[in-house]
Amino acid sequence: MLDLKMIRQKPDFVKEQLGHRNVDPADIDALLAEDAARRDLIAKSEQLKSTRNQVSGEISAKKRNKEDASGEIAEMQKVSAEIKELDEQRRAAEAKVHDMAAHLPNIPHPDVPISATEDGSVELRRIGTPRKFDFEPKAHWTLGEDLGILDFERGAKVSGSRFLYYVGDGAKLERAVYNFFLDQHEAEGYTEVLPPYMVTDESMYGTGQFPKFKNDAFRITTQDLSLIPTAEVPLVNYYRDEVIPAEKLPVYFTALSPAFREEAGSAGRDTKGLIRLHQFNKVEMVKFTKPEDSWDELEKLTNNAESLLKKLGLPYHVITLTTSDMSFTAAMTHDLEVWFPEQNKYREISSCSNCTDFQARRAHIQYRDDNGKLQFVHTLNGSGLAVGRTVAAIMENYQNEDGTITIPDVLVPYMHGKTKIEKQG
């Protein structure tokens, strides 16, 4: 959430910056008008309360002197009723202001490319050279079905579209990938966490999923709980409503969890394969930092994700997303896109974002600065990496003409020495 005081002080700046994120300037004007009305109600209520306190003293004095105070008492009853009405209006106005502010995205960093669409992302670097095949490469879903390690048909039978079974070496490869990721992140200083997979509405609000994207969540209808769309939600909310000791910062967390996505609006897109599922595994990285350190930490976070692709030998590039394409909570996002031979294109496998103090304001996560004053931390998150997409990229990039798949060297120990996936028995 944005600082309301900042919006009041710099409305033109906020309109310009959020205009780059397709926010109508009229929305800012409406918020400020509602906020002004709210503050006016507070002022009127406080004035009446001051008058009531003063007259209450006069009533007490008259009672002590055995004087008639019935007129003042009747007048204060009217004042109390008016105060009650004003306070009810104020609470309604505060709820409206809060809801309006909660729908505004984060202010973009000045270096984020400005665009009304996803077109215009800036490529920062390109690592690795796509392999030149001397045969026609197959899509990972074809390879998986031919080898008997991916079963989309039975996944759809049991759970519906965009679900699948990993079978035999397919399940082992998935497990090898995420164990490799977690071990690498631990070596880089991250603390591994096994989080809850269901969270409260407060938690979804804290990381920015609610209220704007509530319809995208898988909800538990019998309770106010949601299945997590990413481990970012329980990891960031770990410190919700807390003050982190300054000496502990920065804090690094990593977690493997399933991610549950409604995938609203994706009809007809990536209907085959592991790219866009309702349930998939992902290893997440989350950081809590002091504001002055967060931009350096974003680069480190991005490098942590990149190191996995380098060790796996997968070609990729890094891009900075446009103002319109990055997530609601982000001030800047670097996307890692890995090469898929069959599609002859790069596809997203990680988004690394600095959310500045946007989530910390919503979740009330603070620390004390050198002067002992409470400040909001900055939060960062990144996929390290999306596991299913990594498996798909390995299958396509390491496929052989006979339909087998070579295991990347760094994963061989996690596959108990197996170097190749062949057709399952």
Side-chain angles (χ1 to χ4, degrees):
M1 180 174 284
L2 299 178
D3 182 2
L4 192 55
K5 183 178 179 181
M6 182 269 292
I7 298 175
R8 286 192 217 110
Q9 292 176 340
K10 300 191 289 186
D12 291 338
F13 168 79
V14 173
K15 289 178 187 178
E16 178 186 15
Q17 294 302 309
L18 295 190
H20 299 323
R21 305 204 65 178
N22 301 326
V23 174
D24 190 335
D27 292 345
I28 310 301
D29 290 331
L31 170 62
L32 291 173
E34 193 66 35
D35 180 54
R38 176 190 67 86
R39 288 185 289 134
D40 186 53
L41 289 168
I42 293 173
K44 289 178 179 178
S45 177
E46 293 300 319
Q47 180 60 47
L48 287 175
K49 288 175 183 177
S50 177
T51 299
R52 183 176 62 181
N53 291 339
Q54 180 183 344
V55 176
S56 293
E58 295 173 2
I59 290 172
S60 297
K62 282 193 173 186
K63 286 183 176 181
R64 286 194 299 271
N65 295 329
K66 302 190 182 306
E67 297 176 14
D68 180 23
S70 57
E72 288 86 349
I73 292 173
E75 183 64 28
M76 287 307 99
Q77 288 175 339
K78 294 180 182 178
V79 169
S80 292
E82 189 174 352
I83 289 172
K84 182 179 179 181
E85 175 63 24
L86 285 171
D87 284 348
E88 288 177 356
Q89 293 178 21
R90 172 186 56 79
R91 282 190 289 272
E94 284 178 345
K96 189 171 182 180
V97 167
H98 190 272
D99 183 67
M100 295 170 76
H103 281 77
L104 296 177
N106 203 353
I107 298 288
H109 186 276
D111 290 342
V112 173
I114 297 170
S115 175
T117 68
E118 64 182 32
D119 296 330
S121 296
V122 174
E123 186 180 70
L124 299 179
R125 51 192 170 271
R126 186 174 296 200
I127 306 296
T129 302
R131 174 184 168 190
K132 292 184 178 180
F133 290 83
D134 53 10
F135 60 92
E136 188 69 27
K138 296 178 181 178
H140 66 273
W141 57 85
T142 301
L143 289 164
E145 289 175 332
D146 289 347
L147 290 170
I149 61 175
L150 302 178
D151 194 331
F152 295 96
E153 184 177 347
R154 288 188 174 91
K157 176 184 71 174
V158 172
S159 300
S161 63
R162 299 185 190 274
F163 290 92
L164 82 152
Y165 285 93
Y166 289 85
V167 180
D169 284 343
K172 291 177 182 177
L173 179 59
E174 175 99 353
R175 175 156 52 95
V177 167
Y178 62 66
N179 282 332
F180 168 66
F181 289 171
L182 291 170
D183 286 348
Q184 292 299 305
H185 293 323
E186 183 181 23
E188 291 162 340
Y190 289 82
T191 298
E192 184 178 349
V193 176
L194 185 61
Y197 299 158
M198 293 184 286
V199 294
T200 63
D201 290 359
E202 288 177 309
S203 295
M204 292 288 274
Y205 173 82
T207 45
Q209 275 75 24
F210 287 1
K212 188 174 178 65
F213 305 104
K214 194 168 186 176
N215 291 335
D216 293 337
F218 279 111
R219 302 279 290 152
I220 309 300
T221 56
T222 56
Q223 301 182 53
D224 287 331
L225 291 172
S226 300
L227 295 173
I228 60 172
T230 164
E232 171 196 344
V233 179
L235 291 181
V236 170
N237 280 279
Y238 185 88
Y239 283 120
R240 193 180 75 228
D241 298 321
E242 293 188 34
V243 177
I244 305 175
E247 62 272 16
K248 290 186 68 172
L249 296 173
V251 174
Y252 293 2
F253 284 154
T254 188
L256 164 73
S257 78
F260 301 94
R261 302 282 177 89
E262 183 70 43
E263 290 294 352
S266 66
R269 297 174 60 195
D270 298 312
T271 55
K272 293 183 177 181
L274 303 174
I275 299 298
R276 201 176 298 275
L277 300 171
H278 288 311
Q279 174 192 320
F280 59 92
N281 288 323
K282 183 156 73 82
V283 174
E284 189 74 8
M285 303 175 289
V286 162
K287 294 185 176 187
F288 302 85
T289 77
K290 294 179 181 178
E292 61 268 25
D293 299 329
S294 68
W295 295 107
D296 285 341
E297 291 291 349
L298 174 60
E299 299 312 311
K300 292 178 183 178
L301 183 77
T302 306
N303 290 335
N304 294 152
E306 285 186 71
S307 70
L308 302 172
L309 294 175
K310 289 177 181 177
K311 290 176 180 179
L312 287 169
L314 294 172
Y316 70 93
H317 71 165
V318 183
I319 61 174
T320 300
L321 298 185
T322 68
T323 50
S324 298
D325 198 27
M326 63 184 182
S327 71
F328 176 78
T329 59
M332 176 181 277
T333 298
H334 297 323
D335 259 15
L336 278 62
E337 295 185 336
V338 68
W339 181 255
F340 277 83
E342 192 274 338
Q343 297 181 45
N344 196 38
K345 66 187 294 188
Y346 292 101
R347 299 298 304 267
E348 178 199 340
I349 199 165
S350 174
S351 288
C352 299
S353 300
N354 185 355
C355 298
T356 59
D357 62 358
F358 190 85
Q359 291 178 325
R361 287 183 180 277
R362 299 169 77 100
H364 301 107
I365 307 172
Q366 299 174 296
Y367 76 103
R368 292 190 183 277
D369 64 18
D370 293 341
N371 298 317
K373 185 178 179 181
L374 284 172
Q375 304 285 357
F376 289 105
V377 299
H378 280 194
T379 61
L380 300 92
N381 66 81
S383 307
L385 302 162
V387 181
R389 293 191 178 197
T390 305
V391 168
I394 289 170
M395 291 173 66
E396 290 200 14
N397 283 278
Y398 281 90
Q399 63 180 289
N400 302 304
E401 190 171 9
D402 63 0
T404 61
I405 298 167
T406 300
I407 305 297
D409 290 343
V410 292
L411 296 184
V412 170
Y414 294 90
M415 294 289 290
H416 306 293
K418 179 170 286 192
T419 59
K420 186 180 291 187
I421 294 177
E422 300 177 307
K423 188 174 180 62
Q424 305 296 279

